[in-house]
Amino acid sequence: MMVRINLLICLWLASAPGRAQPADTLNRQRLNLVIVGGASVYAGSMVALNEIWYSQYDRQSFRFFNDSQEWLQADKVGHFYATFQVSHVASRMLTWTGLNTRKADLWASISSFAMVSSIEIFDGYSTGYGASASDLVANGLGAGLYYTQKAVWKELRIHPKFSFHQTIYAPLRPELLGTSWGEQIIKDYNGQTQWLSFDMDRFIRFPKWLNLAVGYGVEDMISANVSSNQQLGYTPYRQVYLALDFDLTAFRGRSKFWNSVIFFANMIKLPAPTLEFSRGGMHAHFFYY
């Protein structure tokens, strides 16, 4: 969620490595810029998240709540995605300050876990939710996937991506699924698809610009629990996708700003031919997003 809020501010910050070459030694001025900029993005994200998600609920004493079965785990995959992407952005910025790559990756992963997990404080004090241990696990897996790839392969070969389309469900329950497109992209899990995109050219002979992606989504949900949806006449189900994808980093050029745009655009799964596996069958989509 945090990556999708204040995206333009993040784009400016992440373009800093493109505006100057990485420092050979730790540059304190750059480090201070990253700390102040990152803190500003974090604070703005928390304010926006509180207004969009939590402002409608009263406060309570801090508590944990087991929500591991809600939304057929679509929200957990969202936590995984967010923590990975924050790790990636943070490492890019820390490397720009002159911190060596291994330390940058480690501190970026730790910081991203802490930042995204702080959402549990909002949950814990909100009467509509409760802090979630399974969210913390998903956050750890997201940061872990980033750090493990960089530690083992010295590069990223598997990229979490995100796509969204508006659905018929949000107007049925706008207070929960969102009233505007900006709210729905965060709240309406029916329209979200989370992907793992594989750089196939890193494993076999394959065009550098072409990837294969596996996706996960849910459908027919206007409430968090399967039983409550069934009582309302809905039949929630999972969706698994196999699709072509595009590695946009293959199109990087000499423009440093353009390369920064590519960096962020590569977090999004573009429309492409897709096979959907759901409800015991297979469905083909000429373009799916």
Side-chain angles (χ1 to χ4, degrees), residues 69-72 173 176 221-229:
Q69 300 304 312
E70 292 188 351
W71 300 110
L72 294 177
R173 200 172 180 190
L176 181 65
M221 300 194 76
I222 64 170
S223 181
N225 299 304
V226 171
S227 58
S228 59
N229 280 281

Side-chain angles (χ1 to χ4, degrees), residues 38-54:
S40 299
V41 171
Y42 173 75
S45 299
M46 292 297 99
V47 170
L49 187 63
N50 182 64
E51 290 300 315
I52 293 173
W53 203 287
Y54 298 101

Side-chain angles (χ1 to χ4, degrees), residues 12-25 27 29-30 33-34 92-98 254-257 259-260:
W12 184 89
L13 288 170
S15 69
R19 294 196 294 271
Q21 294 300 315
D24 295 327
T25 58
N27 185 310
Q29 289 184 328
R30 292 185 181 184
L33 177 61
V34 167
R92 178 181 170 96
M93 292 190 293
L94 287 173
T95 301
W96 176 67
T97 70
R254 294 186 177 182
S255 168
K256 293 171 182 177
F257 178 76
N259 290 341
S260 294

Side-chain angles (χ1 to χ4, degrees), residues 195-208:
W195 303 84
L196 284 179
S197 182
F198 294 81
D199 286 346
M200 298 304 297
D201 66 299
R202 300 299 186 182
F203 300 100
I204 60 176
R205 291 181 62 88
F206 215 74
K208 177 174 174 52

